[in-house]
Amino acid sequence: MGADNVVGDGGNGALLLGRSVELARFDALLDRAADSARDMARGGEFRDSGGSRLVDITGEAGIGKSRLLGEVCARARRRGMTVLRGRATEYERQVPFQVFTDALAHLDPHALDGFEETDAVAPLLQRSGTVDRFGLHRSTAVLLARLAAPSGLLLALDDLHWADPASLELLDHLVRHPVHAPVVLAVTRRDRQSPESLAARLTREVDTGTVVRLALRPLSARDCAELAGPGLPPADTAALYAASEGNPFYFLTLLQAHRGGSAPESSAPPGLGTLLLDELTVLAPSRRAIVDAVAVLGEHATPAMVSRVTGHSGTAFTADVHALTRRDLLRPTPQGLLTLRHPVVRTLVHESTPLLRRVEIHRLAARELAHAGVSAAERAHHVEQSLTAWDPAAVAVLEEAAARTARTAPASCAHWLDVALRHLPHTPEHTARRRELVLRRARALAACGGLRESRDLLQELIATPRRTPGAPATGENQDLGENQGFGQSQSRLRVRAVVLCALVERHLGRCTEAVALLRRELARGHAPADVVRLGLELGSAAPQDSDTSYAQVRTDVDMALEAARSTGDEVGEAGVLAVAALGEAYEGNMTAAHGLARQAAALVDSLPDNDLTALCEPLARLGWAEAFLEHYPDAERHAERGLDIARRSGQLYVVPHLLLCLSHVRVQTCRVSSALELADQAEDIARGIGSDQLLAFVLASKASALVAGCPPGDPRPLAVAEEAVAAAGTGVDWWASTAWCIFGWAALMAGDPVRARDAMLQAGGPELQRIQPSMRPLYLEILVTSALVTGRPEEARGWAERARKEAEQLGLSMQRASALRSSAHLPLAQGDTAAAADLFAEAAAESARCGAVFWEAHSLLLGAPLEAAAGHDRGGARAWLRGRRLAEAGGSGMLVGLADATRPPGVDSEAPYGSPDRTELTRRLATLTARELEIAELVAQGLTSQAIADRLYVSRRTVDTHVSRAFRKTGVSSRTALATLMARRRAGSRFGDARTEQD
């Protein structure tokens, strides 16, 4: 008899023994979700600002986790909630999204009718589709929000300690980005067997309240006595309890053996494995064969499949299955599968099944699935387990499975390729194929966080001498880079390996090693196309290396440019120009950078998207170069185009750089909510890739957006900035310098000038040489302000003078504006408000000249009270009103807080300068469609694009398109400004209603 049948029947309302506290916690969560769903069904709002909750049920094997989860599912169904339950399995850990696929198998066939993002979640539904895994994560959240209507959703995931990497990554996303809908997630896992990343994530989120931890303890002696019933003598019950240590599954197994007379003396009870295997010894051979097949087949153990692999069928087979079900060895599932009654039983049966028998079952299963037309990704598990020797057809299935999972489940892709490589003969005819598979596996490992393993594979691949099949090894053909041996195609494979290795080294924070590797390879002599490829990567790596300036590789980049031009390679030429533009812009050589960026942009803009597939990273470089040059519209245009191409072509590693370029531009141009959303997307990818350096940069960018977006006193910007510098570690490269600079800004805004000053000196060293030259005047403003606040006026004067000189050399408006603000702080500290006001006004004008709206508003709001103090009342009021309007329109809580603190006397903050009158407002809003008006109302309520998409069951892209159209039609440029218009519309409607009532 199984534990599930003994410890109460949830369907009849009986409580599980010893679990009343845990069930009460679940009842509260389910009630809240169900109540929220009913409110939303009546047109109300989802009131839980924290979003979905996850309950983490932990405990050892047999403690009752699955039984508790079953009871919770029953209670959720009684509340009318949708319930999806899936189980991860021990021997299918490389099947992508297996636990989610199992859960979604419960869906009604018509549940996804009309769902716009079905293709984006195809891998969860065992359908073919080409999507990137982070897009799949976001679309899964949309799907769960849809399924939560109209009665709430419980997603229950069992045995998560066995979940595949892709499932764990998806769960991590759902934990970090709770679904804004009445959704409860419940997971069970064995704490000691859980992957470290899963345990760490769930533990961190316990503190935030997103995760509720329920650690199941052993049953009490009284509970076990109740399980045993009154017929068992108390002494026997006590002995069984002591032997089981209160574990329900072990106690019940001991109890069953005791009642059957098969247990030894109670003073020395047998182990759990012995008891369970004893249960199998009495089975007839045909029934034991069925049990073995079910244990091996796992998620493919349908009665039909079990019949085929055992060779038994008809009434005899049916009778055997019924007999095993009555013994509670087998249990049918709602999906029509046969399972063993507990994962522990499956483990013992699987391990006791002879190896050759297991291999044969897997071979037959793979054959049957192939006949049924099942995809290679689904067959790969059985193919792997049936491989005992080289089998070209089987390895071809593994390669196909790897190709299908490369974008959505790179860890599984790397695993299948590893299996293929282990069985590929080490013979000359397979050498080229082996090297290609190694390169593919290294790329997959780099995408899923295995950066060091990827680098080791690539270094081995690069270092391995190659020779022509059948030819003796000579000095002329030992190396793959020369035009001997395998020829030009293998030379290019080596170059691809070198470039990928350099990229991986960069992500590991080893830019010096990346530069050295690329230079050595360039010195070997290559065809022009390979020189271009190597030069592109070298130009990208050098600015990030603390030991190498762009000037030191300028000659190499020029050689790559000449190589591209010599062969008429416009795509390569555009890429090298973009990389060169960023290199010069980083170093502060703005005249050269302007010229290179213009040439690169002209070529890029003339090329179709298909030609630019190989230029995604150079497009990111061009976007960043234009951002540093303060050409914000061009930077945004090129970054958006690169982002679209990178996502379509699956170039995941480039996406964060493009997202962060857009985020940076939108902070400078004061579109803060959008900047933060972009940084959030980049964070998801950075955590998936596993690069500390990239994560440091992403978190620094996120902190920058949070500083601009959050009101004064909000602890989030500094917390994220602290995480950024922690990720950067002790490095002294560009990533670390950027993280420390943003940390300095966050600390200053948090009211800690001492910490801000220390951070800036950490970022750049005593002379600040490590700080990016083209951004140094802006960062020097932090030091000027910190020095004045901490009583170091001479130090402040020195930093301000340096900012002025460097800004003049750069010739950039925003950097000049920053230097002017630094200079303005000096007379302000001495009480000369008129001089300070003039400098702030000049800074605002410089910022406006390049479209740096955030800094324009900042300068205006700093100068406005000084204008008033200097007697320029009207000028101060106008400056403050414009600054406040820009701050509100851009969604900057920091600037709105500054405006509140600096409002000149007599200025009405409720009537922003330049706001439209009621007639104009009515005309603008009349141009919106009903859908655009609906979305505008939701924007006004403060919902993000993702939350609106969840509410309306559409894609986030659809929401963003409608919001953009609303911006264009109403003449506003931000969500805050749109919200202001909608608020004035509602106020106008109330005014009209009041007049009607009075009339």
Side-chain angles (χ1 to χ4, degrees):
M1 182 178 291
D4 279 8
N5 286 344
V6 174
V7 193
D9 180 2
N12 294 324
L15 289 176
L16 279 78
L17 290 173
R19 304 301 182 215
S20 58
V21 172
E22 290 83 357
L23 286 169
R25 295 289 299 275
F26 264 114
D27 281 339
L29 289 170
L30 295 175
D31 284 341
R32 183 166 64 181
D35 290 345
S36 294
R38 283 191 290 269
D39 288 345
M40 293 177 68
R42 291 192 292 264
E45 298 294 325
F46 180 64
R47 302 183 184 280
D48 192 341
S49 59
S52 57
R53 292 290 187 274
L54 184 144
V55 184
D56 179 26
I57 307 170
T58 65
E60 63 186 37
I63 203 68
K65 302 181 297 297
S66 297
R67 182 68 190 88
L68 175 63
L69 194 62
E71 172 66 17
V72 170
C73 289
R75 294 179 179 217
R77 289 189 187 97
R78 290 200 294 272
R79 286 169 169 82
M81 297 176 69
T82 298
V83 176
L84 301 176
R85 185 176 182 181
R87 182 189 293 274
T89 47
E90 182 175 9
Y91 299 104
E92 290 80 22
R93 298 192 210 188
Q94 294 302 330
V95 178
F97 304 109
Q98 182 264 327
V99 67
F100 283 93
T101 298
D102 190 33
L104 291 171
H106 294 262
L107 276 179
D108 181 276
H110 301 292
L112 298 183
D113 289 351
F115 182 52
E116 294 183 2
E117 299 192 41
T118 300
D119 289 344
V121 296
L124 305 187
L125 307 172
Q126 290 191 330
R127 301 177 187 173
S128 59
T130 55
V131 296
D132 74 86
R133 68 193 206 260
F134 298 103
L136 181 147
H137 297 168
R138 294 189 295 272
S139 295
T140 301
V142 177
L143 173 62
L144 296 181
R146 173 192 172 96
L147 295 175
S151 54
L153 171 68
L154 171 66
L155 176 62
L157 305 176
D158 216 350
D159 288 335
L160 214 62
H161 49 278
W162 286 325
D164 61 278
S167 292
L168 292 177
E169 191 175 56
L170 174 52
L171 182 72
D172 183 82
H173 175 88
L174 295 174
V175 172
R176 288 188 294 106
H177 302 281
V179 181
H180 193 74
V183 175
V184 176
L185 285 81
V187 304
T188 71
R189 62 187 179 91
R190 301 176 192 170
D191 205 9
R192 285 180 294 182
Q193 291 179 244
S194 296
E196 194 174 313
S197 59
L198 170 66
R201 169 58 61 192
L202 294 177
T203 299
R204 279 196 297 269
E205 297 303 331
V206 167
D207 295 334
T208 69
T210 302
V211 170
V212 177
R213 172 72 50 76
L214 297 180
L216 300 192
R217 297 179 180 178
L219 298 181
S220 67
R222 178 180 297 179
D223 291 333
C224 286
E226 187 172 344
L227 279 180
L232 191 70
D236 290 352
T237 301
L240 295 179
Y241 172 73
S244 69
E245 297 181 340
N247 183 296
F249 181 67
Y250 193 7
F251 180 84
L252 290 169
T253 303
L254 286 167
L255 178 63
Q256 183 175 352
H258 180 83
R259 286 173 172 166
S262 59
E265 293 297 325
S266 59
S267 59
L272 179 62
T274 302
L275 287 173
L276 293 173
L277 289 175
D278 283 347
E279 187 178 358
L280 302 176
T281 58
V282 299
L283 296 178
S286 62
R287 294 177 182 178
R288 177 59 196 261
I290 291 173
V291 170
D292 290 347
V294 169
V296 172
L297 289 171
E299 63 177 3
H300 289 127
T302 62
M305 180 68 79
V306 174
S307 173
R308 283 193 286 270
V309 301
T310 58
H312 302 298
S313 60
T315 56
F317 174 78
T318 302
D320 283 341
V321 170
H322 286 166
L324 292 168
T325 302
R326 285 194 301 272
R327 295 180 67 95
D328 198 29
L329 268 171
L330 292 188
R331 292 179 180 176
T333 73
Q335 292 78 43
L337 299 178
L338 295 174
T339 65
L340 293 163
R341 72 167 177 259
H342 195 281
V344 171
V345 178
R346 184 190 181 195
T347 300
L348 289 167
V349 173
H350 190 282
E351 297 305 312
S352 65
T353 302
L355 174 62
L356 293 181
R357 175 62 183 148
R358 291 204 307 265
V359 168
E360 179 64 10
I361 292 172
H362 282 297
R363 186 188 67 79
L364 292 170
R367 186 190 68 187
E368 294 297 331
L369 291 171
H371 290 162
V374 173
S375 71
E378 290 183 67
R379 287 183 280 141
H381 162 67
H382 294 295
V383 168
E384 174 193 357
Q385 298 302 321
S386 64
L387 263 177
T388 57
W390 166 238
D391 182 340
V395 169
V397 172
L398 295 175
E399 289 188 44
E400 184 183 346
R404 285 179 174 271
T405 57
R407 292 181 61 180
T408 54
S412 294
C413 170
H415 173 78
W416 302 136
L417 291 172
D418 182 45
V419 175
L421 283 163
R422 281 192 271 115
H423 290 87
L424 191 67
H426 287 271
T427 54
E429 64 266 28
H430 294 293
T431 298
R433 185 179 184 184
R434 172 175 295 279
R435 294 175 68 78
E436 183 64 41
L437 292 180
V438 168
L439 183 59
R440 286 175 57 191
R441 182 164 185 261
R443 185 174 290 111
L445 287 167
C448 68
L451 292 170
R452 287 174 175 79
E453 189 177 355
S454 174
R455 179 195 61 197
D456 293 345
L457 276 178
L458 291 165
Q459 288 180 342
E460 182 180 346
L461 185 61
I462 294 165
T464 303
R466 296 288 93 199
R467 60 175 182 259
T468 307
T474 68
E476 293 181 334
N477 63 15
Q478 280 188 4
D479 199 279
L480 188 60
E482 300 173 12
N483 289 330
Q484 306 289 332
F486 287 97
Q488 192 65 31
S489 64
Q490 291 301 302
S491 175
R492 288 181 177 171
L493 185 143
R494 176 191 170 95
V495 170
R496 287 161 57 203
V498 167
V499 169
L500 179 57
C501 188
L503 176 64
V504 171
E505 294 279 30
R506 276 200 279 144
H507 280 305
L508 286 169
R510 292 162 49 94
C511 290
T512 300
E513 288 79 1
V515 169
L517 173 66
L518 292 162
R519 281 181 149 173
R520 185 187 69 181
E521 193 62 29
L522 274 168
R524 303 175 63 84
H526 285 280
D530 293 334
V531 171
V532 172
R533 184 187 288 266
L534 292 164
L536 277 170
E537 180 60 26
L538 181 59
S540 299
Q544 300 172 15
D545 180 17
S546 58
D547 297 330
T548 307
S549 68
Y550 179 77
Q552 292 174 272
V553 300
R554 187 180 286 121
T555 300
D556 298 298
V557 176
D558 287 344
M559 287 173 52
L561 181 60
E562 179 58 34
R565 286 172 171 166
S566 70
T567 58
D569 179 8
E570 290 187 325
V571 174
E573 181 183 358
V576 177
L577 286 168
V579 166
L582 179 58
E584 301 292 1
Y586 176 89
E587 297 289 346
N589 302 319
M590 294 307 176
T591 301
H594 277 293
L596 290 164
R598 280 196 299 270
Q599 293 178 65
L603 271 175
V604 164
D605 293 344
S606 70
L607 293 169
D609 283 0
N610 287 342
D611 288 353
L612 295 179
T613 301
L615 277 190
C616 286
E617 186 163 13
L619 274 171
R621 305 291 168 187
L622 177 58
W624 275 109
E626 291 169 330
F628 293 148
L629 289 166
E630 300 172 4
H631 300 164
Y632 298 126
D634 292 336
E636 192 162 11
R637 179 167 55 86
H638 289 130
E640 285 180 336
R641 189 179 182 194
L643 187 60
D644 184 55
I645 296 169
R647 281 177 166 159
R648 280 191 281 109
S649 58
Q651 298 182 61
L652 183 68
Y653 72 97
V654 186
V655 171
H657 299 282
L658 293 158
L659 290 168
L660 295 181
C661 178
L662 288 169
S663 181
H664 172 81
V665 168
R666 289 178 187 176
V667 169
Q668 311 312 310
T669 55
C670 206
R671 290 170 287 166
V672 180
S673 297
S674 174
L676 187 55
E677 286 185 9
L678 291 162
D680 275 338
Q681 292 180 40
E683 181 184 355
D684 288 343
I685 301 173
R687 292 189 185 278
I689 290 175
S691 166
D692 289 340
Q693 280 64 33
L694 178 59
L695 182 61
F697 182 37
V698 168
L699 291 173
S701 297
K702 182 177 179 178
S704 175
L706 284 169
V707 171
C710 292
D714 193 309
R716 288 177 295 167
L718 188 59
V720 174
E722 286 175 335
E723 191 180 354
V725 297
T730 58
V732 293
D733 52 18
W734 175 77
W735 312 87
S737 174
T738 300
W740 279 106
C741 284
I742 301 301
F743 177 79
W745 187 28
L748 183 64
M749 292 299 101
D752 193 343
V754 174
R755 208 172 177 195
R757 177 180 181 274
D758 292 345
M760 298 309 299
L761 296 179
Q762 174 72 29
E767 297 301 319
L768 306 186
Q769 293 304 314
R770 290 199 300 267
I771 293 179
Q772 181 178 334
S774 54
M775 294 288 285
R776 206 147 47 206
L778 179 65
Y779 293 136
L780 282 165
E781 187 179 352
I782 299 170
L783 280 169
V784 172
T785 308
S786 299
L788 287 171
V789 173
T790 55
R792 294 184 173 92
E794 288 307 312
E795 180 181 312
R797 191 173 303 278
W799 293 128
E801 178 60 18
R802 179 172 177 181
R804 183 191 66 80
K805 290 180 179 178
E806 293 198 18
E808 288 305 316
Q809 289 176 348
L810 292 170
L812 298 172
S813 295
M814 193 185 83
Q815 299 300 324
R816 277 199 298 264
S818 181
L820 287 165
R821 286 193 302 273
S822 292
S823 297
H825 287 298
L826 301 175
L828 179 60
Q830 297 174 343
D832 188 350
T833 55
D838 289 343
L839 288 167
F840 281 127
E842 194 176 345
E846 284 285 355
S847 299
R849 189 169 291 119
C850 66
V853 177
F854 179 87
W855 299 110
E856 178 189 359
H858 191 226
S859 303
L860 288 168
L861 293 171
L862 289 174
L866 306 181
E867 292 271 5
H872 306 148
D873 291 341
R874 183 171 177 77
R878 290 175 64 86
W880 184 88
L881 285 167
R882 176 168 173 76
R884 170 85 184 207
R885 179 170 68 82
L886 293 175
E888 288 181 336
S892 173
M894 169 196 156
L895 293 180
V896 169
L898 178 61
D900 291 342
T902 60
R903 182 172 63 184
V907 177
D908 180 10
S909 65
E910 299 302 320
Y913 174 75
S915 59
D917 59 25
R918 184 169 290 112
T919 302
E920 174 63 14
L921 173 65
T922 302
R923 186 191 66 77
R924 291 185 189 183
L925 294 176
T927 64
L928 300 182
T929 66
R931 191 62 152 178
E932 289 163 358
L933 198 59
E934 179 184 24
I935 288 176
E937 284 285 5
L938 295 174
V939 167
Q941 295 171 22
L943 274 66
T944 64
S945 291
Q946 188 60 66
I948 296 171
D950 295 346
R951 173 75 60 83
L952 302 179
Y953 307 120
V954 298
S955 70
R956 189 158 112 177
R957 179 176 294 181
T958 299
V959 173
D960 288 337
T961 299
H962 285 304
V963 171
S964 297
R965 290 172 181 165
F967 285 173
R968 186 175 67 253
K969 291 179 179 180
T970 58
V972 301
S973 59
S974 74
R975 301 170 78 92
T976 304
L978 185 60
T980 301
L981 286 182
M982 299 307 294
R984 295 188 66 216
R985 171 179 178 266
R986 289 192 296 272
S989 297
R990 288 193 295 271
F991 175 73
D993 292 343
R995 288 193 58 181
T996 300
E997 290 174 6
Q998 291 171 0
D999 292 343

